[in-house]
Amino acid sequence: MKKTKWQVLWHQIKANRIFYLMMLPFLIFFVTFAVYPVLKAIFYSFTDYNILEKPDFIGLKNYAQLILHDQIFIKAVQNTFIIALFVGPFGYILSFLVAWLINELPHMLGTIVTIIFYTPSMAGGAMVIFQLLFANDSNGYVNGWLLKYGFIDSPIYWLSDSKTILPLVIIISVWMSLGVGFLSFVAGIKNVQEDQYEAAAIDGIKNRWQELWFITLPNMKPQLLFGAVMSITGSFSVGGVADALVGFPSPSYASHTIVNHLNDYGLIRLEMGRASAIAVILFFIMIVSNLLVQKLLRKVGT
Amino acid sequence: MKKNIFKMDIEGRSYARRNTRSFAGNVVMGVFLAVLGFLFFFPVLFMYNNALKPLNEMYMFPPKLFVRNATFDNFLDLFRVLGNTLVPFGRYLFNSLFVVAAGSIGHIMIASFCAYPLAKYTFPGSKFVSKLIVYSLMFNGTVTAIPNFITISKLGLIDSYGAIIIPTFASTLGLYFMMNFMEQIPDSLLEAAKIDGANQLKIHFTIVLPLVKPAWVTAFILIFQSLWSSTGDSFIYKENLKSVSYMMGQIASGSSVGIARAGVLAAATAIMFTIPAVTFLLMQTNVINTMATSGIKE
């Protein structure tokens, strides 16, 4: 007797029941605290919702308002893409390069160097330091030095000039981008087996670059994909840096990002419907970038 | 296991492989790492320096980077404040440590059980769940906060440790991280264990978890960081359930902020930063046995 499609599926499910059982505890929490809120937020994005009153269904009005009438949102999208285009690739390559160099160091020193590079992403409050460094008046360290050595005559308004804010935000975001992806690279490189390198050295690998391209990179594809997801989510979610550095909103919206815009509607104006629509748009931007990057990464080591 | 026919140098690298490293290359890479490392370490150095500065040096012109008359006054001031809190400091510390321990251990256990089947096997729904986990990392937290708050309050978890700990179990970052490392466990090893009659539970604790130690140690650090810095915002109202982060934030902000408390703030920042950093150092130095060095080969 030929089995139907459903019987085959049921058979597969039964054969793998131990795996479903293993996944069950996590999935219960996951659905409750991660999937359900996202679905709810997607629903809110089609409503007018001020948190206190019941959401009012308005169809696509939130999206239409954002895309057609909200100049600041368009500015925010532009800024976000500029930031992501710099911070994403730079942070990613820098993370890998540093992780790769750390692997050449003896274990203990390597660990300390790992922490040095990781700390900026850990130190949430470290922004105070940049405020002191780039303070507008001559008390700022950077202005202080530039004045002392005669590069400038009067202090530069680093944190008020709309021309200098965005570059500063980018630099600080790159500086903070050696985070989780970086840690996965450090651990992933250690997982590459030594005898592969030995075999490659005998087979005629001449220098460290060939070794990197033909052995190291293909062996850590899972970590490379993970790092890519992390840098996409990180670089498109930049927002806190500008907040902490120049306050909200940034002067003439110079460093206003999608996340800043979202927080403006969600936390200040309490228009959750609009904020949810922004979150959904950001979500799709990230998914598309992720698909593009994954395609690119498949070429590694070939 | 293949017998190693190559002699190793101090760093465990074979002589054959050493030919792939030029001296000039090593120097260039070393200098590059050192310069970059300074740029990354500089703000941290600055933070510790600031904590050691007496008040008059903090507001000096022209500004000086390094402290001249180092003093522990800022820390002493901070400890004086900590000694006078309404709820004893030990209670805040206990709250923080309890939440960190329960949250991170619970998360690693629950998440590793879910990550392993997803990483090593294909079965109906496995692809879908993996995708869901990756995509859940991409949704902004601000708009999910309201539905989450309603769920947590309906579960009656407001004003309990559970409000902070239980949502942590649903965190996907650590799970996704572990999943990536589990993919690299050789199939032959798992097959062998199954033939020897080991059940999934035994395989999990004797093969999977030891092999991906670097992954779950890192996951632990990530959870540690996020829970350590959690202030409990809208979930915890009872003062005796609040965390160290919350209390430090209270000392440093509010009406008391200003020049008078700048020193205390610098000391508090330094301490709050040092604890996760030291934990990280202790955990990472324990991760020596990875798949590459533990002799497990396909």
Side-chain angles (χ1 to χ4, degrees):
Chain A
M1 199 180 87
K2 211 170 163 235
K3 279 185 186 170
T4 64
K5 205 178 144 199
W6 292 109
Q7 277 173 315
V8 174
L9 186 70
W10 178 241
H11 182 76
Q12 280 177 331
I13 290 175
K14 245 170 81 176
N16 291 303
R17 59 185 181 280
I18 176 82
F19 296 141
Y20 294 107
L21 199 69
M22 283 167 82
M23 286 162 61
L24 188 68
F26 176 79
L27 290 182
I28 291 172
F29 293 114
F30 181 59
V31 169
T32 317
F33 295 106
V35 178
Y36 165 74
V38 168
L39 294 178
K40 196 96 197 214
I42 293 173
F43 163 72
Y44 288 151
S45 76
F46 299 109
T47 64
D48 184 11
Y49 179 41
N50 63 5
I51 300 175
L52 293 174
E53 289 167 296
K54 272 208 153 70
D56 208 7
F57 191 80
I58 53 166
L60 289 170
K61 215 174 144 198
N62 281 326
Y63 294 95
Q65 282 284 339
L66 280 171
I67 294 164
L68 300 176
H69 302 294
D70 195 340
Q71 298 279 317
I72 298 163
F73 179 66
I74 302 302
K75 172 94 181 159
V77 172
Q78 283 170 352
N79 282 338
T80 305
F81 271 93
I82 293 171
I83 292 173
L85 276 177
F86 279 100
V87 176
F90 264 110
Y92 188 73
I93 292 168
L94 196 66
S95 296
F96 187 85
L97 196 64
V98 171
W100 184 57
L101 293 176
I102 283 173
N103 193 44
E104 306 271 304
L105 301 171
H107 182 76
M108 196 55 197
L109 183 63
T111 307
I112 294 169
V113 175
T114 306
I115 293 171
I116 288 176
F117 279 96
Y118 181 64
T119 39
S121 69
M122 208 154 86
M127 221 53 69
V128 183
I129 293 149
F130 283 98
Q131 273 174 337
L132 290 173
L133 277 176
F134 289 101
N136 286 335
D137 55 16
S138 49
N139 278 322
Y141 284 64
V142 172
N143 276 337
W145 287 324
L146 290 176
L147 282 173
K148 190 174 164 192
Y149 295 108
F151 288 108
I152 48 172
D153 300 327
S154 55
I156 296 174
Y157 292 89
W158 298 102
L159 303 178
S160 315
D161 189 338
S162 55
K163 280 196 210 86
T164 52
I165 293 172
L166 196 61
L168 272 182
V169 167
I170 290 173
I171 290 169
I172 296 171
S173 303
V174 170
W175 180 73
M176 289 175 75
S177 67
L178 270 69
V180 191
F182 168 65
L183 291 185
S184 91
F185 292 156
V186 170
I189 292 176
K190 276 191 197 137
N191 263 354
V192 181
Q193 293 173 14
E194 183 65 26
D195 57 355
Q196 290 210 25
Y197 290 124
E198 286 162 10
I202 291 165
D203 286 348
I205 291 276
K206 293 247 162 26
N207 53 47
R208 66 184 89 210
W209 302 104
Q210 285 185 350
E211 189 182 283
L212 172 69
W213 185 253
F214 291 111
I215 311 295
T216 314
L217 284 174
N219 262 301
M220 45 185 300
K221 270 200 178 154
Q223 283 82 24
L224 291 180
L225 293 178
F226 175 82
V229 172
M230 285 303 114
S231 43
I232 288 166
T233 53
S235 56
F236 277 105
S237 312
V238 169
V241 172
D243 269 0
L245 198 66
V246 295
F248 178 85
S250 45
S252 38
Y253 294 101
S255 62
H256 196 68
T257 63
I258 299 181
V259 169
N260 288 138
H261 207 60
L262 190 157
N263 287 339
D264 184 12
Y265 277 100
L267 303 175
I268 299 170
R269 304 179 201 214
L270 298 181
E271 289 182 34
M272 255 316 154
R274 186 70 62 86
S276 299
I278 298 171
V280 172
I281 292 173
L282 184 62
F283 185 52
F284 278 108
I285 291 175
M286 285 191 197
I287 288 178
V288 171
S289 340
N290 188 36
L291 290 176
L292 290 176
V293 170
Q294 308 268 331
K295 239 185 201 153
L296 229 116
L297 281 177
R298 275 194 207 114
K299 295 209 169 78
V300 162
T302 52
Chain B
M1 201 182 112
K2 202 173 81 187
K3 201 178 160 237
N4 203 337
I5 52 164
F6 299 103
K7 277 177 113 181
M8 297 283 187
D9 67 9
I10 301 161
E11 283 151 47
R13 198 184 296 137
S14 73
Y15 282 112
R17 198 183 155 201
R18 257 183 28 183
N19 292 332
T20 61
R21 297 289 183 276
S22 66
F23 177 71
N26 281 343
V27 170
V28 171
M29 298 292 161
V31 170
F32 173 75
L33 203 60
V35 171
L36 205 63
F38 179 74
L39 287 178
F40 274 71
F41 193 56
F42 171 74
V44 177
L45 195 71
F46 182 91
M47 180 180 72
Y48 283 118
N49 249 299
N50 236 12
L52 294 174
K53 279 177 187 170
L55 212 51
N56 59 350
E57 267 187 57
M58 271 184 167
Y59 292 94
M60 202 169 161
F61 184 83
K64 286 273 176 295
L65 175 57
F66 292 105
V67 55
R68 289 202 234 161
N69 305 307
T71 163
F72 282 100
D73 283 355
N74 293 335
F75 289 93
L76 292 178
D77 284 346
L78 176 66
F79 294 142
R80 207 168 297 132
V81 180
L82 293 187
N84 281 324
T85 49
L86 193 62
V87 173
F89 176 69
R91 179 68 204 224
Y92 291 109
L93 193 63
F94 170 81
N95 293 339
S96 280
L97 293 180
F98 180 78
V99 166
V100 165
S104 49
I105 294 170
H107 171 73
I108 286 167
M109 277 301 129
I110 292 168
S112 69
F113 271 109
C114 181
Y116 168 68
L118 290 176
K120 291 309 293 182
Y121 300 94
T122 345
F123 47 90
S126 63
K127 284 246 162 66
F128 175 73
V129 175
S130 307
K131 278 229 163 69
L132 218 57
I133 286 168
V134 177
Y135 289 153
S136 75
L137 288 166
M138 298 178 180
F139 210 86
N140 185 278
T142 308
V143 290
T144 53
I146 300 282
N148 256 340
F149 178 82
I150 295 169
T151 311
I152 288 169
S153 72
K154 277 196 180 143
L155 291 170
L157 292 172
I158 298 292
D159 253 345
S160 75
Y161 295 127
I164 311 294
I165 295 170
I166 291 174
T168 306
F169 293 162
S171 145
T172 43
L173 188 60
L175 188 150
Y176 186 38
F177 195 88
M178 287 190 271
M179 214 163 92
N180 280 293
F181 281 80
M182 287 175 181
E183 275 175 32
Q184 291 169 320
I185 299 174
D187 291 330
S188 54
L189 208 67
L190 301 169
E191 290 303 319
K194 250 185 236 161
I195 292 164
D196 287 347
N199 59 19
Q200 283 300 348
L201 205 67
K202 196 171 174 202
I203 292 178
H204 200 76
F205 284 105
T206 57
I207 298 174
V208 177
L209 284 185
L211 276 182
V212 296
K213 194 176 171 190
W216 60 256
V217 164
T218 310
F220 174 83
I221 293 162
L222 298 177
I223 302 286
F224 183 103
Q225 254 173 264
S226 81
L227 288 178
W228 175 255
S229 57
S230 160
T231 51
D233 345 292
S234 44
F235 298 118
I236 306 282
Y237 295 96
K238 285 197 189 112
E239 191 63 29
N240 59 2
L241 290 180
K242 298 227 186 222
S243 66
V244 176
S245 297
Y246 170 83
M247 187 209 53
M248 290 288 194
Q250 285 306 99
I251 290 175
S253 74
S255 56
S256 56
V257 83
I259 293 172
R261 280 276 173 94
V264 177
L265 173 64
T269 312
I271 287 179
M272 287 310 284
F273 175 78
T274 305
I275 288 167
V278 168
T279 315
F280 187 95
L281 189 72
L282 291 176
M283 296 295 288
Q284 278 289 323
T285 42
N286 272 319
V287 186
I288 302 172
N289 290 318
T290 63
M291 276 193 248
T293 53
S294 56
I296 286 149
K297 289 183 183 145
E298 211 166 346

